[in-house]
Amino acid sequence: MKLKLIFSSCFIIAVLGSSSTAFSQAPKAKAAPAPKTSAVKPVVSKQEIEEGKVLISKSDCMACHTIDKKVVGPSYVEVAKKYAMTDANINKLALKIINGGSGVWGQIPMAPHASVSSTDSKKMVKYILSLNAK
């Protein structure tokens, strides 16, 4: 008898608890999802773009790349069309400048430029990616 009473009580509480807010806690506010950094368009100043252009002109980049024609590597306009101006792409491509890479544009590897700072390589990338808007 006691077992039947306990079972019945549990059943009633379970039914009431699932359909009634009297037994449940107030709903918790849902946290806003974190913004996707890859989709966030960064703020890029004209000064950074101009500094990136100067840095490229003083480097060996133009031996393999030009603004609008493929040489050894892709043109800067091709790169700008492939990659949107996002923080994720800026970081990714800045690391490619520093570390080098291959396989994305063909089998010829891009030589690493370890002496280029992270700050300078990001400015260079911002200049390159800004060419998509032109």
Side-chain angles (χ1 to χ4, degrees), residues 31-49:
K36 295 178 181 176
T37 57
S38 61
V40 176
K41 191 169 183 175
V43 176
V44 179
S45 70
K46 288 182 181 181
Q47 181 179 347
E48 284 179 303
I49 291 171

Side-chain angles (χ1 to χ4, degrees), residues 100-120:
S102 67
V104 177
W105 298 97
Q107 294 306 310
I108 300 173
M110 184 171 85
H113 298 83
S115 62
V116 177
S117 71
S118 177
T119 302
D120 285 350

Side-chain angles (χ1 to χ4, degrees), residues 7 13 22 26 28 38 46 50-51 54 60 62 68-71 79 84 88 90 95 98 103 112 116 130 134:
F7 179 74
I13 291 172
K28 295 180 181 178
S38 61
K46 288 182 181 181
E50 201 54 42
E51 288 173 3
V54 170
D60 66 346
M62 299 304 274
D68 59 357
K69 292 184 181 93
K70 178 177 174 38
V71 183
V79 174
I90 292 168
L95 284 174
I98 296 168
V116 177
S130 75
K134 294 181 181 177

Side-chain angles (χ1 to χ4, degrees), residues 69-81:
K69 292 184 181 93
K70 178 177 174 38
V71 183
V72 176
S75 72
Y76 294 139
V77 171
E78 288 177 293
V79 174
K81 286 180 181 176

